Amino acid sequence: MKLILQLSVRNILRNKRRNAMLFAAIAVAVACVAGMNTIIRGFQADMMEGAVENLTGHIKLYAPGYRDDPSIEHGFELAPDFAPEAVLKADEVGESQQHPEILGWAPRVRIPGVIMSERETRGVQLVGIDPDAEEISFLADVPFTGEQLTSADDKRVFIGKELAKQLETEVGRRIVVISQGPDGRNRERGYRVAGLFDADGTGLEKLYVFTGLHALQSLLDSEQMVTEISIRLREEPESVSYQAALEELFNQLEVLSWQQLNPQAAAMFLFADGAIYIWFVMMMSALTFGLINTLIASVMERVKELGMLRALGMRKRTVIAQVVVESTIVMAIGVACGLLLGFLLYLSVADGIDLSSFAEGMEMAGMRNLLVPRLWISDVVQVAAMSLVLGVIASLYPAWRAVALKPLEALRT
């Protein structure tokens, strides 16, 4: 092995310029893959967080029939002592979940409604909330003007800036909301606008009108009734076991994950995983041809040397090992430099990439205007391991060319 290492290092140093160019090519390819991975992971995290924060949570509870007919008729009664963190015991979510971690949960009444100002009328989603429980949704840190709702009894409304523009209304003005009660009759009430929220996309601003949970229940004559409960967990991987536990405990309700409620975002989330491998294969496949050509050129330049070594008794497997080790050293140096360069690229954009110029497209994809790249150590390890494996595979053909040389013919060359 010492001899193999000495020969490999000597051959690498023999052609410094050519190998330096190869090192640079490997480093740039690996840096591009590593840097793009952080951006793709940022897109992926944005899609998931956007879906989860859009009043969905990781898991949501509905009454059967609500999704087909979203009315208070398909609500369910919320027990005063209901608490997901109390009913999810460690032994019910699996041995791996000794300490269930629920970030929070929020009961809501969400029904279709009509909102009218002095000049305009719009169809909206009327949502009754408990502001203290909405730390799990986008309402927790959304910019706003005026005031937010103060409690579940607040009889004012909190609407989006875009909706206020369409209605030609503003903070402090009165509007009228019409919705349907459980008896099928319309309910109508006047509200004062408490504040205007400015969400990442205009879609949310046009869609939602928020008021106090108890105030809306009173309007609908449906005290203690809610149409949904959103639960947000600290870690996404916990959702599968939590969902199974909730399905068993609340078998009279529909228990759905954010992937089931937002299949488009879930599909894009999975596509992002595939995009990482596609990008790696594209970059490294092109690089492999350069690595193979360089190794073949190195073998052809050393025909006499290899013939002499074979004539002196060097075994075929030793020749193969020497070529493979040489390729691995070249790839390892290039990968190390590439990962360092990729990390520096990540640091340069770690605070976020402003994509506000593409606001409409970002909104359609369910993402924010500020894309924050995410660095996953598992991605770094994967890129390094797959690159080294690719280097070994790329060296097999040049190694076969080396052992195919007959010693006597090589010495005559």
Side-chain angles (χ1 to χ4, degrees), residues 112-285:
V114 175
I115 184 170
M116 298 184 296
S117 69
E118 298 171 350
R119 298 177 179 82
E120 296 291 337
T121 300
R122 288 289 185 274
V124 295
Q125 288 282 315
L126 186 59
V127 187
I129 62 171
D130 179 354
D132 294 335
E134 291 300 331
E135 291 295 320
I136 66 171
S137 71
F138 73 93
L139 292 172
D141 54 7
V142 68
F144 65 93
T145 56
E147 299 179 5
Q148 286 185 311
L149 300 178
T150 56
S151 70
D153 296 311
D154 200 325
K155 296 182 179 180
R156 299 175 298 170
V157 291
F158 189 54
I159 66 176
K161 283 188 174 181
E162 189 65 25
L163 180 60
K165 186 185 300 183
Q166 292 178 342
L167 294 173
E168 299 182 36
T169 190
E170 58 187 18
V171 175
R173 301 286 291 273
R174 289 186 66 83
I175 51 89
V176 175
V177 171
I178 301 175
S179 191
Q180 195 174 67
D183 55 3
R185 296 182 179 180
N186 286 343
R187 301 291 196 276
E188 179 179 326
R189 177 177 290 175
Y191 291 86
R192 193 170 297 279
V193 178
L196 310 178
F197 64 85
D198 184 8
D200 284 329
T202 58
L204 297 178
E205 295 176 17
K206 295 175 184 177
L207 179 63
Y208 293 128
V209 172
F210 298 99
T211 188
L213 175 61
H214 297 162
L216 184 55
Q217 289 171 335
S218 176
L219 171 66
L220 300 173
D221 298 322
S222 301
E223 282 73 11
Q224 302 300 323
M225 294 289 289
V226 297
T227 60
E228 64 183 54
I229 295 176
S230 290
I231 301 172
R232 188 165 181 182
L233 309 175
R234 296 189 186 279
E235 298 292 338
E236 159 65 16
E238 298 173 348
S239 62
V240 176
S241 56
Y242 279 21
Q243 184 178 356
L246 286 169
E247 286 174 348
E248 183 177 349
L249 290 165
F250 301 101
N251 51 27
Q252 74 279 17
L253 300 177
E254 287 188 318
V255 182
L256 303 172
S257 66
W258 71 267
Q259 293 96 330
Q260 293 170 302
L261 294 169
N262 197 333
Q264 181 180 1
M268 291 294 290
F269 185 88
L270 294 176
F271 175 76
D273 281 331
I276 287 176
Y277 293 103
I278 293 171
W279 179 247
F280 177 84
V281 170
M282 288 175 57
M283 293 295 295
M284 301 308 290
S285 294

Side-chain angles (χ1 to χ4, degrees), residues 337-381:
C337 295
L339 292 178
L340 178 59
L341 180 59
F343 182 69
L344 294 176
L345 289 174
Y346 163 73
L347 290 179
S348 67
V349 294
D351 293 333
I353 303 172
D354 185 9
L355 299 176
S356 55
S357 301
F358 311 96
E360 286 190 19
M362 299 298 290
E363 181 183 346
M364 290 179 63
M367 294 178 289
R368 301 177 177 85
N369 295 333
L370 184 67
L371 173 65
V372 180
R374 307 294 178 95
L375 179 63
W376 288 20
I377 299 300
S378 58
D379 284 346
V380 175
V381 173

Side-chain angles (χ1 to χ4, degrees), residues 398-409:
W400 175 81
R401 291 287 299 269
V403 299
L405 295 172
K406 296 181 180 180
L408 293 179
E409 292 181 4

